[in-house]
Amino acid sequence: MKQVSNPLPYVFTRPASASFTGKGLLGYSFYPLCQDADVYYIESEKGHDTFMVSKKITRTYYVLSGSGHFTIDDIRYDVGPGMLVEVPPKVEYTYSGKMTLIGFARPRWFSGNDTHTRSNPDVVSRDAACELEQGSWLTRLVRLRVCGRSPVGMYLQYGQRLWNRIPPRLAALVPIRLYGRFLHGLARIENVRGQAFSTFFLRNRPELELIQRLLEAVSNGETLRVAVLGCSTGAEAYSVAWRIRSARPDLKLIMSAVDISKDAVEVAKQGVYSLTTPQLTNTRIFDRMTATEVEELFDTDAQSALIKPWISEGIRWSVDDVGEPEVIEALGPQDMVVANNFLCHMSDSEAERCLRNIARLVRPGGYLFASGIDLEVRTKVAHDLGWQPVVELLEEIHEGDGCLRPFWPCHYAGLEPLNKKRRDWRIRYACVFQVVPTEKVLVQSENELAVASRG
Ligand SMILES: C[S@@+](CC[C@H](N)C(=O)[O-])C[C@H]1O[C@@H](n2cnc3c(N)ncnc32)[C@H](O)[C@@H]1O
């Protein structure tokens, strides 16, 4: 027999950590096997938390063990070991049950393929699912389903395709802008929201640049406390630590990084990233780095990249829900708090409650970074709490992360284009705010009251 020196690329082992998780499942991706298919190993505890419709991907599931059912086009199919299920694109489906599955996706998964249409009550508690389905008559109308399909969902899919063809000059006209906001309003009611682990190293470069500029006001040798919330698998925390430590090696950086997911924090804490298999996230986390930057941040071998100790040193990782008041005491006051790209996946009331809680972490005069959140929610809280928008690099930071713009306007997380004709554009589009001491806000509100009563 021939001597095999390197068994790859013919034989693959299941990755040590999950590539994706949901409320009721863990999934491991064998990736990349070939150019046009993905293969997954799925441990379903309860099932997939949403119903979904795939745009282009055909998904095939083979049941290895356990039992459950697939609901495809509103029909239930009971399944058990040895059965194969194929779901073509454009058909709504979900699965429920305690099962181990092998899943095949062809072509490979791409961002924007899946539309999540509603919650799966077998996974998300019925109360939570009902809460989601209820609401005003408008909400119920927008979420109306005919033969298992959402007319508004289809209208939005079609709307996005049309929107992408509008030339930018036309899209800037007032009636078109208003129509965009109308579509976005519909999407925010119709879409089912879900958290994701998507992240990138050096995700928003202008934001990192601003962090460095803000350091100019910090004296030599001082202690700087920074909290990165919703840190996913660590790319953002390491990017911020890298920027601060390379710009100001004299500072004593105390960084806390928090995520609600134990799996994500586990990956982050290790600081080892596979160069071939994404861990938890479906994003290619190195995509926004140059080769020189990869060399500067990591020690690499053929398979993996390990974050350099001078960057990772001393970061305090923890698993916590940053919407809970306990986190304030656990972390203590911070000079900078970074809370990006998770508030948009919450309902408005949850996001507002969470943002107000997070703001309590920022010491008076400190800075809050909050992008990837509904603009109405952020503007309301910023206004209520008297935050000062940081105008330096405002436009660059708003445009600094290309992920969410393509989803405007027909997806709830889509990023509204900056419109300087709005009187409130600074507070609406700023992603960074200085949190003003409470006394100043009180004086501000009293002045506003005085002006109002005079008026
Ligand atoms: C899309 S990732 C964003 C990662 C990173 N902030 C970035 O911008 O690249 C969102 C992360 O927020 C986490 N998350 C969601 N809700 C949270 C909460 N209430 N408390 C802490 N983390 C949360 C999720 O687990 C996920 O890892």
Side-chain angles (χ1 to χ4, degrees):
M1 206 198 285
K2 257 202 300 186
Q3 184 84 31
V4 182
S5 56
N6 176 7
L8 295 172
Y10 303 120
V11 178
F12 296 83
T13 326
R14 202 188 78 180
S17 59
S19 315
F20 53 91
T21 61
K23 286 203 173 73
L25 62 84
L26 274 182
Y28 300 81
S29 176
F30 293 88
Y31 167 92
L33 285 188
C34 58
Q35 288 307 310
D36 62 349
D38 282 326
V39 180
Y40 305 108
Y41 176 89
I42 302 164
E43 281 171 0
S44 160
E45 263 304 305
K46 290 185 186 167
H48 201 285
D49 57 353
T50 62
F51 279 72
M52 59 201 149
V53 179
S54 158
K55 193 183 278 178
K56 290 206 175 123
I57 295 172
T58 297
R59 288 197 170 97
T60 310
Y61 297 89
Y62 179 76
V63 186
L64 283 176
S65 63
S67 64
H69 62 270
F70 276 70
T71 307
I72 307 172
D73 219 359
D74 267 348
I75 300 174
R76 174 183 166 129
Y77 301 89
D78 290 324
V79 295
M83 293 174 84
L84 192 86
V85 180
E86 185 162 82
V87 190
K90 303 193 169 40
V91 175
E92 188 196 53
Y93 83 106
T94 193
Y95 52 87
S96 312
K98 189 165 170 54
M99 306 179 270
T100 308
L101 305 163
I102 294 285
F104 303 90
R106 199 181 167 101
R108 276 171 56 185
W109 185 86
F110 57 92
S111 173
N113 176 71
D114 298 311
T115 305
H116 299 277
T117 49
R118 57 193 159 116
S119 305
N120 178 0
D122 294 329
V123 178
V124 179
S125 76
R126 271 173 210 279
D127 288 350
C130 280
E131 206 178 282
L132 205 77
E133 311 309 343
Q134 282 169 0
S136 67
W137 65 268
L138 177 68
T139 307
R140 273 176 278 151
L141 185 71
V142 171
R143 291 190 180 146
L144 182 79
R145 315 190 61 73
V146 180
C147 302
R149 281 159 212 264
S150 155
V152 173
M154 289 192 287
Y155 176 67
L156 287 170
Q157 273 184 13
Y158 185 63
Q160 186 72 57
R161 260 182 261 151
L162 274 182
W163 188 270
N164 294 344
R165 296 207 182 117
I166 301 177
R169 272 184 49 216
L170 216 61
L173 296 177
V174 174
I176 310 278
R177 272 185 191 277
L178 290 176
Y179 182 58
R181 290 194 58 199
F182 165 74
L183 288 174
H184 192 235
L186 285 183
R188 296 184 66 248
I189 300 173
E190 198 274 340
N191 295 170
V192 175
R193 299 179 188 222
Q195 284 290 348
F197 292 114
S198 326
T199 190
F200 297 91
F201 281 92
L202 315 191
R203 181 170 190 160
N204 190 324
R205 281 172 186 271
E207 187 174 296
L208 294 172
E209 171 62 27
L210 181 68
I211 290 178
Q212 181 169 340
R213 290 191 195 177
L214 293 174
L215 297 181
E216 284 164 19
V218 184
S219 313
N220 232 8
E222 263 188 33
T223 297
L224 182 76
R225 290 188 166 77
V226 179
V228 178
L229 312 180
C231 64
S232 184
T233 54
E236 189 177 37
Y238 288 132
S239 304
V240 173
W242 165 70
R243 193 65 187 246
I244 294 174
R245 287 188 158 142
S246 22
R248 293 291 304 270
D250 60 294
L251 298 180
K252 181 171 186 278
L253 172 66
I254 300 181
M255 177 175 279
S256 305
V258 184
D259 199 280
I260 200 166
S261 156
K262 191 165 158 277
D263 293 326
V265 171
E266 211 40 59
V267 175
K269 209 189 275 182
Q270 302 300 323
V272 188
Y273 299 92
S274 166
L275 292 169
T276 54
T277 317
Q279 289 135 302
L280 284 181
T281 132
N282 270 317
T283 42
R284 295 163 185 268
I285 55 173
F286 304 109
D287 264 12
R288 304 199 181 169
M289 306 178 82
T290 63
T292 319
E293 285 163 345
V294 172
E295 246 177 60
E296 204 180 322
L297 271 86
F298 300 100
D299 292 318
T300 53
D301 60 27
Q303 297 295 317
S304 58
L306 167 68
I307 195 85
K308 291 199 170 153
W310 69 268
I311 300 170
S312 60
E313 171 176 79
I315 299 181
R316 299 165 179 177
W317 302 96
S318 58
V319 180
D320 255 313
D321 179 345
V322 299
E324 295 301 326
E326 294 74 41
V327 87
I328 310 300
E329 211 174 306
L331 300 188
Q334 305 287 319
D335 299 298
M336 291 183 195
V337 172
V338 181
N340 289 333
N341 303 309
F342 62 94
L343 294 161
C344 62
H345 300 304
M346 299 177 178
S347 68
D348 285 1
S349 56
E350 205 187 341
E352 181 176 339
R353 188 179 61 79
C354 194
L355 184 60
R356 285 179 187 273
N357 194 50
I358 287 167
R360 294 168 54 215
L361 273 173
V362 187
R363 68 153 173 82
Y367 294 90
L368 175 65
F369 293 69
S371 61
I373 173 174
D374 180 69
L375 301 191
E376 304 289 343
V377 172
R378 188 176 64 193
T379 309
K380 176 173 187 283
V381 178
H383 197 269
D384 281 1
L385 300 183
W387 298 345
Q388 295 302 311
V390 175
V391 283
E392 194 168 347
L393 295 177
L394 184 155
E395 292 183 64
E396 290 84 348
I397 294 173
H398 180 78
E399 301 295 338
D401 170 14
C403 281
L404 299 179
R405 169 52 45 76
F407 293 115
W408 175 263
C410 295
H411 188 278
Y412 71 85
L415 180 67
E416 180 182 308
L418 192 142
N419 174 11
K420 274 196 173 172
K421 290 193 182 124
R422 289 184 68 114
R423 276 176 46 213
D424 66 347
W425 71 270
R426 288 182 185 81
I427 197 161
R428 185 173 180 83
Y429 300 109
C431 296
V432 187
F433 297 87
Q434 186 168 30
V435 174
V436 177
T438 332
E439 319 83 68
K440 273 202 188 169
V441 179
L442 285 177
V443 172
Q444 222 167 286
S445 336
E446 271 165 21
N447 288 347
E448 273 173 23
L449 270 178
V451 171
S453 59
R454 259 184 264 137

